[in-house]
Amino acid sequence: MEDLYERYLNSTSKFPFVSFQGRKAAIDSVGHAFVGVGVQIEEGLRVYLHLFGLYPDGGTLTAVKSVFTSVSGKLDEKWTDLVWDTDLIVTVDEDQFKLVLKEFDIWSESGPDYSLLNNDGINCSALAAAVAGSINMKVPDGAGSTRPWKFIEALKALQ
């Protein structure tokens, strides 16, 4: 019997997808939104290539400061982003897949100022909104000021 990796390698069809995920708040956070990209093989197996989120660049003090003012931000992949409460998976074509990867490059290179609430917040929900917009999805207003998992739910409702 083939293992999952062999099934992926031997697959004759790989369909690219983008996944928008939201995690509800824990006691010490407001929750988190992040975006995954990958391919699905004909058997329905999804292989994630990246799971990106936007985070304040620094420790706990920086995260607290981000509530009141802008701080340095960074695009990152974290193990904690393997857990989510809601998601929206969108099958895309190769051109759209490249647009999403380009959007990740832009956010990664620019190191945007991160703000949880200031000026409608440039935060994890804003990253999800930008990626969705890059592939011409309908995007709800107020991404930067909406709790992350609620933003993903609103994004799902528009599709």
Side-chain angles (χ1 to χ4, degrees), residues 77-117:
E77 296 181 270
K78 295 189 176 189
W79 281 105
T80 54
D81 289 347
L82 295 175
V83 178
W84 55 84
D85 297 300
T86 187
D87 69 346
L88 167 63
I89 298 171
V90 180
T91 302
V92 295
D93 61 30
E94 288 294 328
D95 290 336
Q96 290 172 310
F97 191 80
K98 289 176 185 174
L99 287 172
V100 170
L101 294 178
K102 183 177 179 181
E103 193 70 27
F104 288 152
D105 286 343
I106 290 168
W107 282 69
S108 182
E109 291 168 3
S110 68
D113 284 345
Y114 179 97
S115 176
L116 197 55
L117 299 172

Side-chain angles (χ1 to χ4, degrees), residues 1-67:
M1 176 176 227
E2 284 183 310
D3 67 14
L4 291 177
Y5 184 66
E6 288 171 336
R7 286 174 34 206
Y8 169 74
L9 287 178
N10 295 329
S11 173
T12 57
S13 299
K14 294 183 176 104
F15 307 99
F17 69 87
V18 179
S19 180
F20 300 88
Q21 290 103 350
R23 183 171 55 245
K24 291 183 179 179
I27 292 172
D28 62 345
S29 75
V30 296
H32 188 49
F34 44 101
V35 182
V37 293
V39 294
Q40 180 172 312
I41 64 173
E42 62 275 354
E43 297 174 15
L45 173 69
R46 284 192 195 105
V47 178
Y48 282 86
L49 304 173
H50 299 286
L51 285 167
F52 281 118
L54 184 66
Y55 298 88
D57 190 10
T60 304
L61 181 58
T62 303
V64 171
K65 286 173 60 176
S66 74
V67 174

